Amino acid sequence: MTDSEHILVVDDHPDIRDAMARYLKEHGYRVTTADRAATARQALETSAIDLVVLDIMMPGEDGLSLCRHLRATTDLPVILLTAMAEETDRIVGLEMGADDYVTKPFNPRELLARIKAVLRRTATLPPAAGEPPGQCYRFGDWLFDPQTQALTGGGGQGEAVALSTGESLLLGVFLRHPGRVLNRDQLLDLTRGRTAQLFDRAIDNQVSRLRKKVEKDARNPEFIKTHWGGGYSFAAPVEIVER
């Protein structure tokens, strides 16, 4: 951890906000605080922020709205602060792309551990890359169009295979990073599919379903390889083609 990591703490309760700021500063982080979403937006415009700790329940614009804005406009990691009774809001926030959550009341050590884990995970993610319109991927005998989520055999001339949204996002991640071993946390973040139920085993299940659709023999895959204790990689050559 370096002192360049800058945390924005957004909470309308001054006691909680100030206590968090003191604790994080004691552990070497730079900290900016905000008591509402409008103040947080100003801080984001004027400071280089590395992670946002965001309370869901705030007067005026709430944390979910700000989380939605952050996910639409930045790649900043977000940790939500929620009350025990806010399970639905917590799930919605995770579905929007928040990286983790901490339930109030919380132990500062837990928050610190989650901040370190999220920063460590996002720091090792490969850079995000969007596809220009019309860009497709060819691998083996398959053609995949990430814009339409269409997977077609026969080099693009055969019948289309139906993919779920999760399977399509996962395949897109593999095709954008062929040969790179990606662990489960990285795959969750890159697909932006994290919900309260989407943790390690969900990735394993999606990989299993995807293999059944793209591999000749799902038990002996040639495309999606397992690295025990490490994650998965896409082992076949990938060609970028125009539709």
Side-chain angles (χ1 to χ4, degrees), residues 56-210:
I56 285 183
M57 295 298 292
M58 295 187 294
E61 182 184 7
D62 64 16
L64 291 178
S65 174
L66 183 56
C67 180
R68 186 184 299 110
H69 167 75
L70 289 170
R71 191 50 59 229
T73 58
T74 77
D75 291 323
L76 281 177
V78 177
I79 296 178
L80 297 176
L81 299 178
T82 75
M84 289 291 290
E86 296 169 8
E87 181 178 3
T88 299
D89 286 344
R90 181 167 67 246
I91 293 172
V92 170
L94 291 168
E95 289 174 339
M96 287 178 181
D99 296 86
D100 206 344
Y101 68 88
V102 176
T103 302
K104 293 180 178 180
F106 56 87
N107 186 315
R109 290 180 61 187
E110 178 188 2
L111 175 62
L112 179 65
R114 290 180 181 271
I115 287 173
K116 288 181 176 179
V118 170
L119 286 171
R120 184 168 57 246
R121 187 170 71 236
T122 54
T124 58
L125 288 175
E131 293 85 4
Q135 181 172 295
C136 300
Y137 296 93
R138 180 175 287 134
F139 62 99
D141 197 39
W142 295 104
L143 184 71
F144 175 64
D145 184 342
Q147 306 295 321
T148 63
Q149 299 184 0
L151 177 67
T152 311
Q157 304 302 314
E159 294 185 5
V161 173
L163 297 178
S164 69
T165 298
E167 291 163 355
S168 177
L169 290 171
L170 185 61
L171 179 58
V173 167
F174 281 131
L175 296 177
R176 286 192 293 274
H177 308 289
R180 174 157 185 164
V181 178
L182 298 169
N183 63 41
R184 294 179 180 93
D185 279 335
Q186 289 174 320
L187 289 169
L188 283 165
D189 282 320
L190 287 167
T191 57
R192 283 298 172 197
R194 185 184 291 275
T195 69
Q197 288 76 38
L198 268 179
F199 289 98
D200 286 1
R201 289 305 158 196
I203 286 293
D204 294 337
N205 292 336
Q206 283 197 347
V207 167
S208 178
R209 291 194 296 268
L210 187 57

